[in-house]
């Protein structure tokens, strides 16, 4: 499945919407989009992601650490249950900012 990524600016936030499976083959697409984003406040909308493997998880954690280290913020929103389970199993729900909706993430 091909990964589709689009980004838009909403106030002080860059919202990156992702659709498709996020795995070792498709992570570079999202990584490139995140590199091109200009904001220090990023929300990744995962509502269109039915599957994420550990490479996707690693990318999310890397960006969380990167932006936090630069004084920015990295949040994720609208995770499907299978993706949220991956974050729960790795106990990253305690570390990362995960929100039910993009609106809640950008509030």
């Amino acid at each position: 499945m091909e990964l589709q990524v689009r980004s838009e600016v909403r106030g002080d936030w860059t919202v990156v919407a992702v659709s498709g499976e996020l795995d070792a083959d498709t992570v570079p697409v999202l990584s490139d989009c995140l590199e091109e984003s200009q904001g220090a406040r990023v929300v990744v909308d995962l509502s269109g992601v039915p599957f994420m493997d550990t490479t996707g998880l690693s990318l999310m954690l890397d960006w969380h650490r990167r932006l936090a280290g630069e004084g920015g913020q990295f949040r994720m929103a609208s995770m499907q249950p299978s993706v949220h389970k991956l974050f729960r199993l790795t106990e990253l729900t305690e570390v990362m900012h995960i929100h039910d909706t993009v609106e809640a993430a950008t509030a």
Side-chain angles (χ1 to χ4, degrees):
M1 174 180 257
E2 184 178 326
L3 191 72
Q4 296 177 354
V5 180
R6 62 180 170 77
S7 89
E8 65 178 310
V9 176
R10 293 189 194 176
D12 294 339
W13 293 89
T14 299
V15 177
V16 179
V18 185
S19 293
E21 294 184 356
L22 194 54
D23 57 26
D25 293 331
T26 60
V27 158
V29 175
L30 178 55
S31 180
D32 289 347
C33 181
L34 290 170
E35 288 291 341
E36 293 171 6
S37 66
Q38 299 298 315
R41 300 173 90 186
V42 175
V43 174
V44 179
D45 177 356
L46 296 168
S47 60
V49 178
F51 172 82
M52 179 187 297
D53 72 4
T54 57
T55 56
L57 185 75
S58 178
L59 179 68
M60 298 296 122
L61 186 57
D62 287 347
W63 273 91
H64 169 79
R65 289 179 178 157
R66 179 178 177 172
L67 287 181
E70 296 172 358
Q73 297 179 42
F74 183 83
R75 298 178 179 177
M76 294 169 291
S78 305
M79 286 184 181
Q80 293 193 22
S82 59
V83 173
H84 196 260
K85 182 177 180 179
L86 177 63
F87 282 84
R88 279 194 325 273
L89 289 173
T90 57
E91 298 183 356
L92 288 175
T93 54
E94 305 298 320
V95 177
M96 302 184 74
H97 303 283
I98 301 169
H99 299 270
D100 291 337
T101 65
V102 171
E103 292 74 20
T106 59

